[in-house]
Amino acid sequence: MSDSSIKLHQIQALLRKDYGLYVSKTTCRKAKIRIMNEHFDDFIEEFARLYDYAEKLRATNPGTTVSIRTSKNAIPRKEVFMGI
């Protein structure tokens, strides 16, 4: 599932339907936060690598112009990769 806006009661319903399990909202909340944090950490690491990649291109190809486009408007308070 890749929908970060899924509601806790929806997670409960999916677990009940697919696995026959009852899971409390507290457990669902903790699991959702944990998954979101893990995903966000991966995103930060990958995003940082873009700048390393651009620098490597500049260093190995003299005269090359490398530009990374980002937008801070797509997600409030977060920089989003738009293209290279």
Side-chain angles (χ1 to χ4, degrees):
M1 178 164 313
S2 62
D3 185 5
S4 62
S5 64
I6 188 169
K7 305 293 182 202
L8 298 177
H9 70 273
Q10 293 172 314
I11 295 171
Q12 283 181 304
L14 285 170
L15 291 169
R16 194 174 306 119
K17 176 184 157 203
D18 292 350
Y19 300 104
L21 299 172
Y22 174 80
V23 180
S24 70
K25 283 188 180 180
T26 302
T27 302
C28 290
R29 181 181 299 109
K30 288 178 183 178
K32 182 177 176 181
I33 290 170
R34 184 175 180 182
I35 290 168
M36 295 298 291
N37 286 338
E38 288 173 5
H39 177 72
F40 187 70
D41 287 343
D42 290 344
F43 176 76
I44 290 172
E45 289 176 21
E46 290 176 18
F47 196 83
R49 289 185 195 138
L50 288 172
Y51 292 103
D52 294 340
Y53 177 66
E55 189 56 41
K56 190 70 167 178
L57 286 174
R58 288 184 195 104
T60 57
N61 298 296
T64 299
T65 301
V66 178
S67 167
I68 296 177
R69 292 178 296 147
T70 60
S71 171
K72 291 186 179 179
N73 298 330
I75 299 175
R77 299 179 305 281
K78 300 207 181 353
E79 196 172 8
V80 177
F81 175 70
M82 302 297 287
I84 189 166

Coordinates of all heavy atoms in Angstrom, one line a residue:
M1 N 0.8 -1.2 0.0 CA 0.0 0.0 0.0 C 0.9 1.2 0.0 O 1.8 1.3 0.8 CB -0.9 0.0 1.2 CG -1.8 1.2 1.3 SD -3.1 1.0 2.5 CE -3.7 -0.5 2.0
S2 N 0.6 2.2 -0.9 CA 1.4 3.4 -1.0 C 0.7 4.7 -0.7 O 1.2 5.7 -1.0 CB 2.1 3.4 -2.4 OG 1.0 3.5 -3.3
D3 N -0.5 4.6 -0.1 CA -1.2 5.8 0.2 C -1.0 6.3 1.6 O -1.4 5.7 2.6 CB -2.7 5.5 0.1 CG -3.6 6.7 0.2 OD1 -3.1 7.8 0.3 OD2 -4.8 6.5 0.2
S4 N -0.2 7.4 1.7 CA 0.2 7.9 3.0 C -1.0 8.6 3.7 O -0.9 8.9 4.9 CB 1.4 8.9 2.8 OG 1.0 10.0 2.0
S5 N -2.0 8.9 3.0 CA -3.2 9.6 3.6 C -4.2 8.6 4.1 O -5.3 9.0 4.5 CB -3.8 10.5 2.6 OG -4.4 9.8 1.5
I6 N -3.9 7.3 4.1 CA -4.9 6.3 4.5 C -5.2 6.5 6.0 O -4.4 6.8 6.8 CB -4.4 4.8 4.3 CG1 -5.5 3.8 4.6 CG2 -3.1 4.6 5.1 CD1 -5.1 2.4 4.1
K7 N -6.5 6.4 6.3 CA -6.9 6.6 7.7 C -6.7 5.3 8.5 O -6.7 4.2 8.0 CB -8.4 6.9 7.7 CG -8.8 8.1 6.8 CD -8.2 9.4 7.4 CE -8.6 10.6 6.5 NZ -7.8 11.7 6.6
L8 N -6.6 5.5 9.8 CA -6.4 4.4 10.7 C -7.5 3.4 10.7 O -7.2 2.1 10.7 CB -6.2 4.9 12.2 CG -4.9 5.8 12.4 CD1 -4.9 6.3 13.8 CD2 -3.7 5.1 12.0
H9 N -8.7 3.8 10.6 CA -9.8 2.8 10.5 C -9.8 2.0 9.2 O -10.2 0.9 9.2 CB -11.2 3.5 10.7 CG -11.6 4.4 9.6 ND1 -11.2 5.7 9.5 CD2 -12.4 4.2 8.5 CE1 -11.8 6.3 8.4 NE2 -12.5 5.3 7.8
Q10 N -9.2 2.6 8.2 CA -9.1 1.9 6.9 C -8.0 0.8 7.0 O -8.2 -0.3 6.5 CB -8.7 2.9 5.8 CG -9.8 3.8 5.4 CD -9.4 4.9 4.4 OE1 -8.3 5.5 4.6 NE2 -10.2 5.1 3.4
I11 N -6.9 1.1 7.7 CA -5.9 0.1 8.0 C -6.5 -1.0 8.8 O -6.3 -2.2 8.5 CB -4.7 0.7 8.7 CG1 -4.0 1.8 7.8 CG2 -3.7 -0.3 9.1 CD1 -2.9 2.6 8.5
Q12 N -7.3 -0.7 9.8 CA -7.9 -1.7 10.6 C -8.8 -2.6 9.8 O -8.8 -3.8 9.9 CB -8.7 -1.1 11.7 CG -8.0 -0.5 12.9 CD -8.9 0.1 13.9 OE1 -9.7 0.9 13.6 NE2 -8.8 -0.4 15.2
A13 N -9.6 -2.0 8.9 CA -10.5 -2.7 8.1 C -9.8 -3.7 7.1 O -10.2 -4.8 6.9 CB -11.4 -1.8 7.3
L14 N -8.7 -3.2 6.5 CA -7.9 -4.0 5.6 C -7.3 -5.2 6.4 O -7.3 -6.3 5.8 CB -6.8 -3.2 5.0 CG -7.2 -2.2 3.9 CD1 -6.1 -1.3 3.5 CD2 -7.7 -3.0 2.7
L15 N -6.8 -5.0 7.5 CA -6.2 -6.1 8.3 C -7.3 -7.1 8.7 O -7.0 -8.3 8.7 CB -5.5 -5.6 9.5 CG -4.2 -4.8 9.2 CD1 -3.7 -4.1 10.5 CD2 -3.1 -5.8 8.7
R16 N -8.4 -6.6 9.1 CA -9.5 -7.5 9.5 C -10.0 -8.3 8.3 O -10.2 -9.5 8.4 CB -10.7 -6.7 10.1 CG -11.7 -7.5 10.8 CD -12.8 -6.6 11.5 NE -12.2 -5.6 12.4 CZ -12.4 -4.3 12.2 NH1 -13.1 -3.8 11.3 NH2 -11.8 -3.5 13.1
K17 N -10.1 -7.7 7.1 CA -10.6 -8.3 5.9 C -9.6 -9.3 5.4 O -10.0 -10.5 5.1 CB -11.0 -7.3 4.9 CG -11.4 -7.8 3.5 CD -11.6 -6.7 2.5 CE -11.5 -7.2 1.1 NZ -11.1 -6.2 0.2
D18 N -8.4 -8.9 5.2 CA -7.4 -9.7 4.6 C -6.8 -10.8 5.5 O -6.4 -11.9 5.0 CB -6.2 -8.8 4.0 CG -6.7 -7.9 2.9 OD1 -7.8 -8.1 2.4 OD2 -5.9 -7.0 2.5
Y19 N -6.7 -10.5 6.8 CA -6.0 -11.5 7.7 C -6.8 -11.9 8.8 O -6.4 -12.8 9.6 CB -4.7 -10.8 8.2 CG -3.7 -10.4 7.1 CD1 -3.6 -9.1 6.7 CD2 -3.0 -11.4 6.4 CE1 -2.7 -8.8 5.7 CE2 -2.1 -11.1 5.4 CZ -2.0 -9.7 5.1 OH -1.1 -9.4 4.1
G20 N -8.0 -11.4 9.0 CA -8.9 -11.8 10.0 C -8.4 -11.3 11.4 O -8.6 -12.0 12.4
L21 N -7.6 -10.2 11.4 CA -7.0 -9.7 12.6 C -7.7 -8.4 13.1 O -8.1 -7.6 12.3 CB -5.5 -9.4 12.4 CG -4.6 -10.6 12.0 CD1 -3.3 -10.0 11.7 CD2 -4.5 -11.6 13.2
Y22 N -7.8 -8.3 14.4 CA -8.3 -7.0 15.0 C -7.0 -6.3 15.5 O -6.4 -6.9 16.4 CB -9.3 -7.1 16.0 CG -9.6 -5.8 16.7 CD1 -10.4 -4.9 16.0 CD2 -9.0 -5.4 17.8 CE1 -10.7 -3.6 16.5 CE2 -9.2 -4.1 18.3 CZ -10.0 -3.2 17.7 OH -10.2 -2.0 18.2
V23 N -6.7 -5.2 15.0 CA -5.6 -4.4 15.5 C -6.1 -3.0 16.0 O -6.9 -2.4 15.3 CB -4.6 -4.2 14.4 CG1 -3.4 -3.4 14.8 CG2 -4.1 -5.5 13.8
S24 N -5.6 -2.6 17.2 CA -6.1 -1.4 17.7 C -5.6 -0.2 16.9 O -4.7 -0.3 16.2 CB -5.6 -1.2 19.2 OG -4.2 -1.0 19.2
K25 N -6.3 1.0 17.1 CA -5.9 2.2 16.3 C -4.5 2.6 16.8 O -3.8 3.1 16.0 CB -6.9 3.3 16.6 CG -8.2 3.1 15.7 CD -9.1 4.4 15.8 CE -10.3 4.2 14.9 NZ -11.2 5.3 15.0
T26 N -4.2 2.4 18.1 CA -2.9 2.8 18.6 C -1.8 2.0 17.9 O -0.8 2.6 17.5 CB -2.8 2.6 20.1 OG1 -3.9 3.3 20.8 CG2 -1.5 3.0 20.7
T27 N -2.0 0.7 17.7 CA -1.0 -0.1 17.0 C -0.9 0.3 15.6 O 0.2 0.4 15.0 CB -1.4 -1.6 17.1 OG1 -1.5 -1.9 18.5 CG2 -0.4 -2.5 16.4
C28 N -2.0 0.6 14.9 CA -2.0 1.1 13.5 C -1.3 2.4 13.4 O -0.5 2.6 12.5 CB -3.4 1.2 13.0 SG -4.3 -0.4 12.8
R29 N -1.5 3.3 14.3 CA -0.9 4.6 14.3 C 0.6 4.5 14.5 O 1.4 5.1 13.7 CB -1.4 5.5 15.5 CG -0.8 6.9 15.5 CD -1.3 7.7 16.7 NE -2.8 8.0 16.6 CZ -3.7 7.4 17.4 NH1 -3.3 6.6 18.4 NH2 -5.0 7.7 17.2
K30 N 1.1 3.6 15.4 CA 2.5 3.4 15.6 C 3.2 2.8 14.4 O 4.3 3.2 14.0 CB 2.8 2.5 16.8 CG 2.5 3.2 18.2 CD 2.7 2.3 19.3 CE 2.3 2.9 20.6 NZ 2.5 2.0 21.8
A31 N 2.5 1.9 13.8 CA 3.0 1.2 12.6 C 3.1 2.2 11.4 O 4.1 2.2 10.7 CB 2.2 0.0 12.2
K32 N 2.1 3.0 11.2 CA 2.0 4.0 10.2 C 3.1 5.0 10.3 O 3.9 5.3 9.4 CB 0.7 4.7 10.1 CG 0.6 5.7 9.0 CD -0.8 6.3 8.9 CE -0.9 7.3 7.8 NZ -2.2 8.0 7.7
I33 N 3.3 5.5 11.6 CA 4.4 6.5 11.8 C 5.8 5.9 11.5 O 6.6 6.5 10.9 CB 4.3 7.0 13.3 CG1 3.1 7.9 13.4 CG2 5.6 7.7 13.7 CD1 2.7 8.3 14.8
R34 N 5.9 4.6 12.0 CA 7.2 3.9 11.8 C 7.5 3.8 10.3 O 8.6 4.0 9.8 CB 7.2 2.6 12.5 CG 8.5 1.9 12.4 CD 8.4 0.6 13.2 NE 9.7 -0.1 13.1 CZ 9.9 -1.3 13.7 NH1 9.0 -1.8 14.4 NH2 11.1 -1.9 13.6
I35 N 6.5 3.3 9.5 CA 6.7 3.1 8.1 C 7.0 4.5 7.4 O 7.9 4.6 6.5 CB 5.5 2.4 7.5 CG1 5.5 1.0 8.0 CG2 5.5 2.5 6.0 CD1 4.2 0.3 7.7
M36 N 6.2 5.5 7.7 CA 6.4 6.8 7.1 C 7.8 7.4 7.4 O 8.5 7.9 6.6 CB 5.3 7.8 7.6 CG 3.9 7.4 7.2 SD 3.7 7.4 5.4 CE 3.8 9.1 5.0
N37 N 8.3 7.2 8.7 CA 9.6 7.6 9.0 C 10.7 6.9 8.2 O 11.7 7.5 7.8 CB 9.9 7.5 10.5 CG 9.1 8.6 11.3 OD1 8.8 9.6 10.8 ND2 8.9 8.3 12.6
E38 N 10.6 5.6 8.1 CA 11.5 4.8 7.3 C 11.5 5.2 5.9 O 12.6 5.4 5.3 CB 11.2 3.3 7.4 CG 11.5 2.7 8.8 CD 11.0 1.3 8.9 OE1 10.6 0.7 7.9 OE2 11.2 0.8 10.0
H39 N 10.4 5.5 5.3 CA 10.3 5.9 3.9 C 10.9 7.3 3.8 O 11.6 7.5 2.8 CB 8.8 5.9 3.5 CG 8.6 6.4 2.1 ND1 9.0 5.7 1.0 CD2 8.1 7.5 1.6 CE1 8.7 6.3 -0.1 NE2 8.2 7.5 0.2
F40 N 10.6 8.2 4.7 CA 11.1 9.5 4.6 C 12.6 9.5 4.7 O 13.3 10.3 4.0 CB 10.5 10.4 5.7 CG 10.9 11.9 5.5 CD1 10.4 12.6 4.4 CD2 11.7 12.5 6.4 CE1 10.7 14.0 4.3 CE2 12.1 13.8 6.3 CZ 11.6 14.5 5.2
D41 N 13.2 8.7 5.6 CA 14.7 8.6 5.7 C 15.3 8.2 4.4 O 16.3 8.7 4.0 CB 15.1 7.7 6.8 CG 14.8 8.3 8.2 OD1 14.6 9.5 8.3 OD2 14.8 7.5 9.2
D42 N 14.7 7.2 3.7 CA 15.2 6.7 2.4 C 15.1 7.9 1.4 O 16.1 8.0 0.6 CB 14.4 5.5 1.9 CG 14.6 4.3 2.7 OD1 15.6 4.2 3.5 OD2 13.7 3.4 2.6
F43 N 14.1 8.6 1.4 CA 13.9 9.7 0.5 C 15.0 10.8 0.7 O 15.6 11.3 -0.2 CB 12.5 10.4 0.8 CG 12.2 11.6 -0.1 CD1 11.9 11.5 -1.4 CD2 12.3 12.8 0.5 CE1 11.7 12.6 -2.2 CE2 12.0 14.0 -0.2 CZ 11.7 13.8 -1.6
I44 N 15.3 11.1 2.0 CA 16.3 12.1 2.3 C 17.7 11.6 1.7 O 18.4 12.4 1.1 CB 16.4 12.4 3.8 CG1 15.2 13.1 4.2 CG2 17.7 13.1 4.1 CD1 15.1 13.3 5.7
E45 N 18.0 10.4 2.0 CA 19.3 9.8 1.5 C 19.4 9.8 -0.1 O 20.4 10.3 -0.6 CB 19.5 8.4 2.0 CG 19.8 8.3 3.5 CD 19.8 6.8 3.9 OE1 20.1 6.0 3.1 OE2 19.7 6.6 5.1
E46 N 18.3 9.4 -0.7 CA 18.3 9.4 -2.2 C 18.4 10.8 -2.7 O 19.0 11.1 -3.7 CB 17.1 8.7 -2.7 CG 17.1 7.2 -2.4 CD 15.9 6.5 -2.8 OE1 15.1 7.1 -3.6 OE2 15.7 5.4 -2.4
F47 N 17.7 11.8 -2.1 CA 17.7 13.1 -2.6 C 19.1 13.7 -2.5 O 19.5 14.4 -3.4 CB 16.7 14.0 -1.7 CG 16.3 15.3 -2.4 CD1 15.3 15.3 -3.3 CD2 16.9 16.4 -2.0 CE1 15.0 16.5 -3.9 CE2 16.6 17.6 -2.6 CZ 15.6 17.7 -3.5
A48 N 19.8 13.5 -1.4 CA 21.1 14.0 -1.2 C 22.1 13.4 -2.2 O 23.0 14.1 -2.7 CB 21.6 13.6 0.2
R49 N 21.9 12.2 -2.7 CA 22.7 11.6 -3.7 C 22.6 12.3 -5.1 O 23.5 12.3 -5.9 CB 22.4 10.1 -3.9 CG 22.8 9.3 -2.7 CD 22.5 7.8 -3.0 NE 22.6 7.1 -1.7 CZ 21.8 6.1 -1.4 NH1 20.8 5.8 -2.2 NH2 21.9 5.5 -0.2
L50 N 21.5 13.0 -5.3 CA 21.3 13.7 -6.6 C 22.4 14.8 -6.7 O 23.0 15.0 -7.8 CB 19.9 14.4 -6.7 CG 18.8 13.4 -6.9 CD1 17.5 14.2 -6.8 CD2 18.9 12.8 -8.3
Y51 N 22.6 15.5 -5.6 CA 23.7 16.6 -5.7 C 25.1 16.0 -5.8 O 25.9 16.5 -6.5 CB 23.5 17.4 -4.4 CG 22.3 18.3 -4.4 CD1 21.2 17.9 -3.6 CD2 22.2 19.4 -5.2 CE1 20.0 18.6 -3.7 CE2 21.0 20.1 -5.3 CZ 19.9 19.8 -4.5 OH 18.8 20.5 -4.5
D52 N 25.3 14.8 -5.2 CA 26.6 14.1 -5.3 C 26.8 13.7 -6.8 O 27.9 13.8 -7.4 CB 26.7 12.9 -4.4 CG 26.7 13.2 -2.9 OD1 27.0 14.4 -2.6 OD2 26.4 12.4 -2.1
Y53 N 25.7 13.2 -7.4 CA 25.8 12.7 -8.8 C 26.1 13.9 -9.7 O 26.9 13.8 -10.6 CB 24.4 12.1 -9.2 CG 24.3 11.7 -10.6 CD1 25.2 10.7 -11.1 CD2 23.4 12.3 -11.5 CE1 25.1 10.3 -12.4 CE2 23.3 11.9 -12.8 CZ 24.2 10.9 -13.3 OH 24.1 10.5 -14.6
A54 N 25.4 15.0 -9.5 CA 25.6 16.2 -10.3 C 27.1 16.7 -10.2 O 27.7 17.1 -11.1 CB 24.7 17.3 -9.9
E55 N 27.6 16.7 -8.9 CA 29.0 17.1 -8.7 C 30.0 16.2 -9.4 O 31.0 16.6 -10.0 CB 29.3 17.2 -7.2 CG 30.6 17.8 -6.9 CD 30.8 19.2 -7.5 OE1 29.8 20.0 -7.4 OE2 31.9 19.5 -8.0
K56 N 29.7 14.9 -9.4 CA 30.5 13.9 -10.1 C 30.5 14.1 -11.6 O 31.6 14.0 -12.2 CB 30.1 12.5 -9.7 CG 31.0 11.4 -10.2 CD 32.2 11.4 -9.3 CE 33.0 10.1 -9.6 NZ 34.3 10.1 -8.8
L57 N 29.4 14.4 -12.1 CA 29.3 14.8 -13.6 C 30.2 16.0 -13.9 O 30.9 16.0 -14.9 CB 27.8 15.0 -14.0 CG 27.0 13.8 -14.1 CD1 25.5 14.2 -14.3 CD2 27.4 12.9 -15.2
R58 N 30.1 17.0 -13.1 CA 30.9 18.2 -13.3 C 32.4 17.9 -13.2 O 33.2 18.4 -14.0 CB 30.5 19.3 -12.3 CG 29.1 19.9 -12.5 CD 28.9 21.1 -11.5 NE 27.5 21.4 -11.5 CZ 26.6 21.1 -10.5 NH1 27.0 20.4 -9.5 NH2 25.4 21.4 -10.6
A59 N 32.7 17.1 -12.3 CA 34.2 16.8 -12.0 C 34.8 15.9 -13.2 O 35.9 16.1 -13.5 CB 34.4 16.1 -10.7
T60 N 34.0 15.0 -13.7 CA 34.5 14.1 -14.7 C 34.3 14.5 -16.1 O 34.9 14.0 -17.0 CB 33.9 12.7 -14.5 OG1 32.4 12.8 -14.6 CG2 34.2 12.1 -13.2
N61 N 33.5 15.6 -16.3 CA 33.2 16.1 -17.6 C 33.4 17.6 -17.6 O 32.4 18.4 -17.5 CB 31.8 15.7 -18.1 CG 31.6 14.3 -18.1 OD1 32.2 13.6 -19.0 ND2 30.7 13.7 -17.3
P62 N 34.7 18.1 -17.7 CA 34.9 19.5 -17.6 C 34.1 20.3 -18.7 O 34.0 19.8 -19.8 CB 36.4 19.6 -17.9 CG 37.0 18.3 -17.6 CD 35.9 17.3 -17.8
G63 N 33.5 21.4 -18.3 CA 32.8 22.2 -19.2 C 31.3 21.8 -19.3 O 30.5 22.5 -19.9
T64 N 30.9 20.7 -18.6 CA 29.6 20.2 -18.6 C 28.7 21.1 -17.6 O 29.2 21.4 -16.5 CB 29.5 18.8 -18.1 OG1 30.2 18.0 -19.1 CG2 28.0 18.3 -18.0
T65 N 27.6 21.5 -18.0 CA 26.7 22.2 -17.2 C 25.6 21.2 -16.7 O 24.9 20.6 -17.4 CB 26.0 23.3 -17.9 OG1 27.0 24.2 -18.4 CG2 25.0 24.1 -17.0
V66 N 25.5 21.1 -15.3 CA 24.5 20.2 -14.7 C 23.6 21.1 -13.9 O 24.1 21.9 -13.0 CB 25.2 19.1 -13.9 CG1 24.1 18.3 -13.2 CG2 26.1 18.3 -14.7
S67 N 22.3 20.9 -14.1 CA 21.4 21.7 -13.3 C 20.3 20.7 -12.7 O 19.8 19.9 -13.4 CB 20.7 22.7 -14.2 OG 19.6 23.3 -13.6
I68 N 20.0 20.9 -11.4 CA 19.0 20.1 -10.8 C 17.9 21.0 -10.5 O 18.0 22.0 -9.8 CB 19.5 19.4 -9.5 CG1 20.6 18.4 -9.8 CG2 18.4 18.7 -8.8 CD1 21.3 17.8 -8.7
R69 N 16.7 20.7 -11.0 CA 15.5 21.5 -10.7 C 14.7 20.9 -9.6 O 14.4 19.7 -9.6 CB 14.6 21.5 -12.0 CG 15.2 22.3 -13.1 CD 14.4 22.3 -14.3 NE 14.3 20.9 -14.8 CZ 13.2 20.4 -15.4 NH1 12.1 21.1 -15.6 NH2 13.2 19.1 -15.7
T70 N 14.3 21.7 -8.6 CA 13.5 21.3 -7.5 C 12.4 22.3 -7.3 O 12.5 23.4 -7.8 CB 14.3 21.1 -6.2 OG1 14.9 22.4 -5.9 CG2 15.4 20.1 -6.3
S71 N 11.4 21.9 -6.6 CA 10.3 22.8 -6.3 C 10.0 22.6 -4.8 O 9.9 21.5 -4.3 CB 9.0 22.4 -7.1 OG 7.9 23.1 -6.6
K72 N 9.9 23.8 -4.1 CA 9.5 23.7 -2.7 C 8.0 24.0 -2.6 O 7.5 24.0 -1.5 CB 10.3 24.8 -1.9 CG 11.7 24.4 -1.8 CD 12.5 25.4 -0.9 CE 13.9 25.0 -0.8 NZ 14.7 25.8 0.0
N73 N 7.3 24.1 -3.7 CA 5.9 24.4 -3.6 C 5.0 23.1 -3.7 O 3.9 23.1 -3.4 CB 5.5 25.3 -4.8 CG 6.1 26.6 -4.7 OD1 6.4 27.1 -3.6 ND2 6.4 27.2 -5.9
A74 N 5.6 22.0 -4.2 CA 4.8 20.8 -4.4 C 4.3 20.2 -3.0 O 3.2 19.8 -2.9 CB 5.6 19.8 -5.1
I75 N 5.3 20.2 -2.1 CA 4.9 19.7 -0.7 C 5.4 20.7 0.2 O 6.6 21.1 0.2 CB 5.6 18.3 -0.4 CG1 5.2 17.3 -1.4 CG2 5.3 17.9 1.0 CD1 5.9 15.9 -1.3
P76 N 4.5 21.3 1.0 CA 4.9 22.4 2.0 C 6.1 22.0 2.8 O 6.2 20.9 3.3 CB 3.7 22.6 2.8 CG 2.6 22.0 2.0 CD 3.1 20.9 1.2
R77 N 7.1 22.8 2.9 CA 8.3 22.7 3.7 C 9.2 21.6 3.3 O 10.1 21.1 4.0 CB 8.0 22.6 5.2 CG 7.3 23.8 5.8 CD 6.9 23.6 7.2 NE 6.2 22.4 7.6 CZ 4.9 22.2 7.4 NH1 4.2 23.2 6.9 NH2 4.3 21.1 7.8
K78 N 9.0 21.0 2.1 CA 9.9 20.0 1.5 C 10.3 20.3 0.1 O 9.5 20.8 -0.7 CB 9.1 18.6 1.6 CG 8.7 18.2 2.9 CD 8.6 16.8 3.1 CE 8.1 16.3 4.4 NZ 8.0 17.1 5.5
E79 N 11.5 20.0 -0.2 CA 12.0 20.2 -1.6 C 11.8 19.0 -2.4 O 12.0 17.9 -1.9 CB 13.5 20.5 -1.5 CG 14.1 21.1 -2.7 CD 15.6 21.5 -2.5 OE1 16.1 21.2 -1.4 OE2 16.1 22.2 -3.4
V80 N 11.2 19.1 -3.6 CA 10.8 18.0 -4.4 C 11.6 18.0 -5.7 O 11.7 19.1 -6.4 CB 9.3 18.0 -4.7 CG1 8.9 16.9 -5.6 CG2 8.5 18.0 -3.4
F81 N 12.2 16.9 -6.1 CA 13.0 16.8 -7.3 C 12.1 16.9 -8.5 O 11.0 16.3 -8.6 CB 13.7 15.4 -7.3 CG 14.4 15.1 -8.6 CD1 15.5 15.8 -8.9 CD2 13.9 14.2 -9.5 CE1 16.2 15.5 -10.1 CE2 14.6 13.9 -10.7 CZ 15.8 14.6 -11.0
M82 N 12.4 17.8 -9.5 CA 11.6 18.0 -10.7 C 12.3 17.5 -11.9 O 11.7 17.1 -12.9 CB 11.3 19.5 -10.8 CG 10.6 20.1 -9.7 SD 9.0 19.4 -9.4 CE 8.1 20.1 -10.7
G83 N 13.7 17.5 -11.9 CA 14.4 17.0 -13.1 C 15.9 17.3 -13.1 O 16.3 18.1 -12.2
I84 N 16.6 16.8 -14.0 CA 18.1 17.0 -14.0 C 18.4 17.4 -15.4 O 17.8 16.9 -16.4 CB 18.9 15.8 -13.5 CG1 20.4 16.2 -13.3 CG2 18.8 14.6 -14.3 CD1 21.2 15.2 -12.5

